[in-house]
Amino acid sequence: MKVLFMLGIILAMCGVILIFDARPITKKMFGFGDQNDATLGLKLVGFLFSIIGMILVYCNM
């Protein structure tokens, strides 16, 4: 139970970091033309990580 709770917290934190830092991460990895698409993708993945993480936290309380 505690393992899934901690996993949910970590997953949610990683999701929030991906949402917040999507633009600086893509500036390092991609050229100018691909930045907008990659930023959108990273924000979407971060959103999904946040939702899944918070579901894990909620179910283990």
Side-chain angles (χ1 to χ4, degrees):
M1 290 293 255
K2 296 284 183 182
V3 174
L4 288 176
F5 183 80
M6 290 303 292
L7 181 67
I9 293 288
I10 292 170
L11 199 60
M13 283 187 346
C14 289
V16 170
I17 289 170
L18 277 176
I19 291 170
F20 185 72
D21 288 337
R23 182 70 62 183
I25 291 171
T26 56
K27 281 184 182 179
K28 293 178 187 175
M29 297 179 139
F30 298 102
F32 183 73
D34 297 330
Q35 275 184 4
N36 290 333
D37 294 333
T39 301
L40 179 65
L42 276 180
K43 286 186 178 192
L44 183 64
V45 168
F47 179 72
L48 292 175
F49 278 6
S50 298
I51 296 297
I52 292 169
M54 292 315 294
I55 288 172
L56 283 173
V57 169
Y58 181 73
C59 290
N60 288 305
M61 289 184 92

